[in-house]
Amino acid sequence: LQYEPGAETGCAAAQFSVPPEAELGVIPRAVNQLFARVAALQQTGRFSYRVRLSFCQIYKEKIYDLLNPSHVVSEQACRTGLRLRQRGGGFYAENLFAFECQSAEEALEFFCEGVRHKLVGRHNMNICSSRSHTLLQLQVDRLGRDGCVEGVSCLSMVDLAGSERLALTEAEGEMKKEGMSINQSLFVLRRVMTALV
């Protein structure tokens, strides 16, 4: 998916266009392939499948739901964010909206809606700088003939905000704090990945 720079902010405008297949990004390709695979599996008749989508952003160490209108963050607003909970061997964001999608087109509509709510800003190095990390998740439930869930798979796609050198961005005020938060979170992620290797 492509978007046109906004005239005033230089950031994502509300109008999206669909480029030729060869120019699609990673997320549209992955979503299209996932639904194609689900359709092929449905034809076997052994199981039915349900796909649910959620989309959140991590802004200044807090989790916000990009698909919940009451949870969209503005520069002036300061909300508590979603709570991170542990269940079994994993973690989840409490009360994060998840929408059932019947097609790749419907899933990508939700994705575009979330992107419109994503926090972006402008500084000397980038006219449309991500101010948060985002996580798009597609959960596929395999349902038995009785409708009960017999298996679950999850595709998670992460878009990390880039690290920033304050001397180059010359950011001040709130944007400076955002940049420091982004750098700190990327540093912690690096330590986690190093520990796993």
Side-chain angles (χ1 to χ4, degrees), residues 8 25 36 45 49 53 65 91 98 126 130 155 163 181 188:
E8 294 180 5
Y49 295 86
L53 176 147
D65 192 338
F91 296 87
N126 191 342
S130 294
L155 173 63
S163 62
S181 177
V188 172

Side-chain angles (χ1 to χ4, degrees), residues 23-166:
E23 298 178 19
L24 287 177
V26 172
I27 289 177
R29 287 174 188 254
V31 170
N32 285 331
Q33 290 182 17
L34 183 143
F35 276 92
R37 179 65 176 153
V38 166
L41 290 171
Q42 296 267 36
Q43 291 180 354
T44 66
R46 293 181 57 200
F47 300 98
S48 60
Y49 295 86
R50 176 178 62 202
V51 180
R52 291 184 292 167
L53 176 147
S54 61
F55 196 17
C56 65
Q57 68 179 343
I58 302 172
Y59 173 67
K60 291 167 64 174
E61 311 307 318
K62 294 181 181 179
I63 304 169
Y64 298 95
D65 192 338
L66 288 169
L67 298 177
N68 181 347
S70 67
H71 220 260
V72 174
V73 182
S74 68
E75 292 181 9
Q76 294 78 25
C78 182
R79 298 186 175 90
T80 57
L82 299 176
R83 293 182 183 217
L84 189 65
R85 299 288 193 187
Q86 186 172 7
R87 179 172 52 205
F91 296 87
Y92 69 98
E94 188 176 48
N95 298 323
L96 180 65
F97 280 16
F99 294 91
E100 187 170 343
C101 301
Q102 304 298 325
S103 66
E105 292 75 19
E106 185 177 5
L108 290 173
E109 285 179 10
F110 281 118
F111 170 66
C112 289
E113 182 65 22
V115 169
R116 291 185 185 100
H117 295 149
K118 182 180 173 183
L119 284 166
V120 291
R122 169 187 284 213
H123 55 62
N124 286 351
M125 300 301 294
N126 191 342
I127 63 169
C128 193
S129 171
S130 294
R131 311 316 295 160
S132 65
H133 309 302
T134 58
L135 173 64
L136 177 71
Q137 287 191 312
L138 292 159
Q139 179 175 309
V140 182
D141 299 327
R142 186 181 69 196
L143 309 175
R145 295 187 185 278
D146 59 357
C148 293
V149 177
E150 296 190 358
V152 177
S153 296
C154 187
L155 173 63
S156 300
M157 291 173 277
V158 179
D159 181 15
L160 296 173
S163 62
E164 297 184 351
R165 295 184 60 184
L166 296 178

